Amino acid sequence: MSTETLLAQAKQVCLDRGARLTPAREQVFILLAQHDNAVGAYDLLDELKVIDPAAKPATIYRALDFLSQQGFVHKIESINAFVLCHHFSECNHPVQLLICDNCGHVEEIQSTNLDLALRSMADASRFSISHQIVEAHGKCQSCQ
């Protein structure tokens, strides 16, 4: 999907939710959309500074926090990086990521079976899952 299409969808989602996609948030969204791999906050900051020399770390972190809350991006905890979600209209979907340790490619997959198994185990422990991200590391097809 093109950056323009994704941005139009994000703007519509924000409009529907009454959320404000500020110019800074929009620019960070665009920068993330231009990456195929996960990207760190400070790498995004360096890119943003080309456009807005006054940008500070807080600018990036506030934008990433907003974009994450809206379901537009996923934080990959194990590598402290972010990746754009290409189906953010389903913002409450379980997140399952395949992360290539060689080239950095990140693929988001959807396994209903994995989600059901995890929820079943959580239910058996009387644990209520509020947010789910499963990260699997290895090598992608291109790097094998």
Side-chain angles (χ1 to χ4, degrees):
M1 215 178 288
S2 73
T3 299
E4 294 79 21
T5 302
L6 288 168
L7 182 59
Q9 288 178 354
K11 286 181 177 182
Q12 186 59 53
V13 167
C14 285
L15 186 64
D16 293 347
R17 294 178 183 164
R20 189 163 172 255
L21 189 62
T22 63
R25 293 169 177 170
E26 183 176 325
Q27 194 57 56
V28 172
F29 181 96
I30 291 168
L31 291 172
L32 276 166
Q34 293 171 347
H35 285 271
D36 289 330
N37 298 340
V39 60
Y42 278 91
D43 294 326
L44 285 169
L45 178 60
D46 291 341
E47 292 176 24
L48 185 59
K49 282 185 175 183
V50 172
I51 301 160
D52 178 8
K56 304 278 187 248
T59 308
I60 287 292
Y61 283 111
R62 285 185 190 125
L64 288 169
D65 188 45
F66 171 83
L67 295 172
S68 181
Q69 287 173 359
Q70 297 305 314
F72 300 156
V73 301
H74 301 303
K75 182 174 184 186
I76 304 173
E77 297 288 342
S78 60
I79 59 173
N80 197 25
F82 298 85
V83 66
L84 190 72
C85 176
H86 290 272
H87 50 275
F88 48 76
S89 60
E90 311 160 27
C91 67
N92 291 324
H93 67 279
V95 180
Q96 300 145 3
L97 303 171
L98 302 177
I99 305 157
C100 181
D101 293 325
N102 194 47
C103 71
H105 177 74
V106 177
E107 182 178 347
E108 183 174 350
I109 60 170
Q110 297 245 314
S111 171
T112 305
N113 292 338
L114 180 60
D115 179 49
L116 291 174
L118 185 58
R119 290 187 182 278
S120 176
M121 289 184 285
D123 288 346
S125 297
R126 295 184 181 194
F127 184 85
S128 175
I129 297 174
S130 60
H131 183 71
Q132 177 195 133
I133 296 181
V134 175
E135 300 178 19
H137 286 263
K139 287 187 180 178
C140 69
Q141 184 177 7
S142 298
C143 292
Q144 289 182 21

